Amino acid sequence: MTKIAFIGGGNMASAILGGLIENGYDSKNILVSDPSAEKLAELKNQFSVQTFTDNNEAVAQADVVILAVKPQVMQRVISPLTEALTTKQPLVISVAAGISLESLADWTDSSLAIVRCMPNTPALVQQGASGLLANAQVSEAHKQLTDDILKAVGLNVWVENESQLDAVTALSGSGPAYFFLFIESMIAAGEKLGLASETAKTLALQTALGAATMASKSEHEPAQLRKNVTSPNGTTEQAILTFQKMGIEDMVEQAMKAAFDRSIELSKELGK
Ligand SMILES: NC(=O)c1ccc[n+]([C@@H]2O[C@H](COP(=O)([O-])OP(=O)(O)OC[C@H]3O[C@@H](n4cnc5c(N)ncnc54)[C@H](OP(=O)(O)O)[C@@H]3O)[C@@H](O)[C@H]2O)c1
């Protein structure tokens, strides 16, 4: 079975390896390296994975290396792994936000097969949406392996270039916060209309979950589903007209463009 080494044993690594084990992956083939003995003991205790404090030792045994450290420390963490990576030639998957394939190759070895993954926070509850980008060394078999691993925390889509990954960052990467903001606003507005705070929260959350489930299961586009529930002269129509009059489409477009621009800026800063 494929041996998967996680460099960094924090939130994202725990989510992916937890999902893998839940789906039946043998924990003996999962290796985790992290400087914190306490974190490693916890992971070993909870998931029975193999643990290391020396990243090189983990890489030396791995067929797949998942880089799950913070972007700010990535260069410092992976440069010393270059020799082990060059010798073993594993598939490298980075989940770090804002670190380009070019930077990852520059900091290690340009002959490596590297996948850059842009996950989002719902990966922590196995409901993530990730964008994936491969370098030229990544084969179809590598892509299949990447999909098989990352589906443990949600859904994946492959994109063609770094710019599309910046768009993924603006859409699904930052997207959960847009929905949290919308839910917050609905709760506050519900309270102003006389509902108890808990009641407004329960209804807003279930409505978001119900709408997302319905839209993902339906054969109809979201626009059609909206039209289906917007009867002429009804209550929904009044709300939708108000949103549109206040420019919701333009607001969303501008917000996502701002996130996209910031993603490009951050990649430049982190890639230095
Ligand atoms: N969490 C999310 O929802 C999310 C979403 C999208 C992308 N990501 C990406 O996922 C990556 C990990 O994020 P996270 O939230 O999992 O962070 P995290 O919980 O801080 O995990 C990072 C882990 O790496 C460890 N580490 C630090 N230096 C190391 C070294 N030299 N060798 C090995 N491990 C080292 C850290 O240990 P210490 O704590 O002791 O420093 C920590 O346990 C980030 O690059 C982030 O951009 C996360």
Side-chain angles (χ1 to χ4, degrees), residues 156-175:
N156 308 309
V157 293
W158 288 91
V159 298
E160 285 162 21
N161 52 49
E162 295 280 352
S163 176
Q164 287 186 345
L165 217 48
D166 290 316
V168 167
T169 305
L171 201 159
S172 51
S174 302

Side-chain angles (χ1 to χ4, degrees), residues 7-12 33-35 39 55 68-71 77 95-97 119 121:
I7 305 302
N11 295 315
M12 197 42 83
S33 185
D34 194 283
K39 208 171 279 177
N55 294 338
V69 295
K70 290 281 186 205
V77 173
V95 296
T121 314

Side-chain angles (χ1 to χ4, degrees), residues 14-20 22-23 121-129 151-155:
S14 308
I16 299 171
L17 70 87
L20 282 168
E22 215 175 285
N23 292 343
T121 314
L124 304 180
V125 291
Q126 272 99 55
Q127 291 290 338
K151 75 177 183 215
V153 287
L155 168 158

Side-chain angles (χ1 to χ4, degrees), residues 76-141:
R76 227 179 318 135
V77 173
I78 64 173
S79 290
L81 303 179
T82 304
E83 204 182 315
L85 289 167
T86 302
T87 309
K88 183 76 175 144
Q89 291 288 319
L91 166 65
V92 176
I93 302 173
S94 164
V95 296
I99 308 277
S100 67
L101 286 175
E102 194 185 353
S103 294
L104 294 165
D106 280 354
W107 297 339
T108 53
D109 175 349
S110 58
S111 74
L112 297 171
I114 309 178
V115 171
R116 186 183 157 197
C117 168
M118 182 60 219
N120 65 4
T121 314
L124 304 180
V125 291
Q126 272 99 55
Q127 291 290 338
S130 298
L132 303 175
L133 177 67
N135 73 359
Q137 285 71 25
V138 171
S139 64
E140 279 309 311

